[in-house]
Amino acid sequence: MEKVIVIGGSIAGKLAAKALSHIFRQVIILEAGQRWKEKAPRKRVPQSYHPHVLLKGGEEAIEKLFPHFLDQLIEDGSIVKNFTRDLKWHHFGFWKQQFPGELVMVQQSRPMLEWHLQHRIEQFSNIATNYY
């Protein structure tokens, strides 16, 4: 197949573009705004200021598309936490009980996550991002 357009260069858009890059010769991501070159919050992304974690399914999907992606996040300062033991979680009016478990997750800012995805996307010659 020749060409596909992905509307939106968010995390989902970048992951979709990478998945489609195996099928199409050219993948074009259409992204509103300007290209950002630093790990800073973007306009129109209010959750940029919140800490982010990837659920295990998300980690596995990203690692499949971009091998060693989590290693790069950790090298760049992401925090590795045991979420069953280390996280204090208030949910529906109650504090959840902490317990020793094996749920280890990687926490970082959304700008850091998006920056790393953009950096990896730029390494593929058949994926281009057009800003408007």
Side-chain angles (χ1 to χ4, degrees):
M1 295 186 185
E2 193 62 33
K3 187 186 300 186
V4 66
I5 296 173
V6 176
I7 299 174
S10 67
I11 293 169
K14 287 177 176 62
L15 295 176
K18 175 59 172 83
L20 292 166
S21 71
H22 299 290
I23 301 166
F24 291 88
R25 285 187 184 180
Q26 185 180 16
V27 180
I28 300 168
I29 302 170
L30 294 180
E31 172 61 31
Q34 299 176 359
R35 183 182 186 282
W36 69 99
K37 297 179 183 172
E38 49 193 61
K39 299 171 203 146
R42 296 185 298 133
K43 289 182 180 180
R44 296 184 299 276
V45 185
Q47 64 272 41
S48 284
Y49 295 94
H50 303 169
H52 278 65
V53 295
L54 293 169
L55 299 178
K56 285 299 172 190
E59 284 182 2
E60 291 168 6
I62 290 175
E63 281 292 318
K64 195 176 206 179
L65 293 170
F66 301 105
H68 309 292
F69 186 81
L70 291 174
D71 292 339
Q72 290 178 328
L73 288 176
I74 293 166
E75 287 174 18
D76 199 22
S78 289
I79 300 167
V80 179
K81 285 282 194 184
N82 180 313
F83 268 59
T84 57
R85 184 190 67 219
D86 301 333
L87 181 69
K88 292 185 179 182
W89 186 11
H90 192 266
H91 193 232
F92 295 122
F94 299 97
W95 286 100
K96 300 292 183 183
Q97 185 172 351
Q98 294 169 284
F99 60 93
E102 310 230 354
L103 183 60
V104 176
M105 299 175 90
V106 178
Q107 178 181 349
Q108 64 283 313
S109 68
R110 181 176 175 128
M112 179 193 268
L113 181 60
E114 287 187 311
W115 184 89
H116 277 277
L117 282 172
Q118 183 63 37
H119 179 71
R120 293 292 291 269
I121 284 288
E122 290 171 352
Q123 296 175 4
F124 293 89
S125 60
N126 68 329
I127 302 175
T129 304
N130 293 351
Y131 297 91
Y132 61 93

